[in-house]
Amino acid sequence: MATWTPVYPAAVPIPVNFDKLSKSSSKRVLLDASGNPLITVFRDGKGSWQGFKGGDSREDLIFRVKRNVKKLTRTELEVFLVGEISRESTPDFKMKGFAFQRSCTIYRSDSIVAQTSLMYKLHQIYAGRSKFRLTIFPGPVDYSLIASLIVIFLYGQ
């Protein structure tokens, strides 16, 4: 499991762990610092996921994710928020990148919301893929939503 160490202002609650229940499970749970479930992500089918508020229930749907492009060098996902006033065919967020290199960019319209990249150090010949950097740009966005989308992108397959 990759190490995720985001840097946030002190007043912001930080999601610290994403728990995968088993290797065959299609369910992942984002936990806060106290171990309470924030978002539960279920794999819905080949190339689609659903995110629900809280723990085990499938009652409070927050978002749906659909894989648009999956190639060897590029993956693209479309994110549809539930409850937003928008047409079904227009995604609220788009994600583009290369999961093997841990690089991903999340867009809302034409603006960048967040990016990931591998953690490199000077004089390091080999960069391990278990550590990566997450940059969330200023704006009105839920950090737990971004964390869930990143895990879907990097580990959703």
Side-chain angles (χ1 to χ4, degrees):
M1 182 176 225
T3 305
W4 177 53
T5 53
V7 178
Y8 296 127
V12 177
I14 302 171
V16 293
N17 192 10
F18 225 105
D19 184 30
K20 182 179 179 183
L21 300 178
S22 71
K23 290 201 181 265
S24 63
S25 177
S26 61
K27 172 180 156 182
R28 293 181 186 252
V29 181
L30 177 67
L31 305 171
D32 66 5
S34 303
N36 300 320
L38 295 173
I39 296 177
T40 303
V41 177
F42 292 95
R43 187 180 184 116
D44 197 26
K46 188 167 181 147
S48 62
W49 298 265
Q50 292 183 340
F52 295 88
K53 184 177 183 178
D56 283 331
S57 71
R58 287 191 181 216
E59 294 175 5
D60 297 329
L61 182 65
I62 301 171
F63 63 87
R64 287 178 285 114
V65 177
K66 183 180 124 189
R67 182 182 297 135
N68 193 17
V69 175
K70 169 96 171 149
K71 294 184 178 179
L72 183 62
T73 59
R74 186 181 79 193
T75 301
E76 292 184 15
L77 302 175
E78 293 180 337
V79 181
F80 301 91
L81 297 178
V82 175
E84 294 284 322
I85 302 172
S86 63
R87 295 188 307 260
E88 180 69 26
S89 62
T90 306
D92 296 292
F93 295 96
K94 287 188 179 182
M95 302 177 67
K96 298 178 182 181
F98 187 31
F100 181 77
Q101 292 179 347
R102 301 295 191 245
S103 64
C104 167
T105 303
I106 301 176
Y107 299 92
R108 177 179 239 165
S109 302
D110 292 334
S111 61
I112 297 175
V113 174
Q115 285 183 319
T116 64
S117 60
L118 277 174
M119 294 285 288
Y120 289 105
K121 294 182 180 177
L122 293 176
H123 308 293
Q124 184 179 9
I125 296 172
Y126 173 75
R129 292 183 333 106
S130 64
K131 292 185 180 182
F132 59 92
R133 176 180 300 116
L134 170 60
T135 305
I136 299 177
F137 295 95
V141 66
D142 182 10
Y143 293 149
S144 57
L145 171 67
I146 296 300
S148 300
L149 296 178
I150 296 295
V151 169
I152 290 170
F153 186 86
L154 297 179
Y155 303 105
Q157 303 164 7

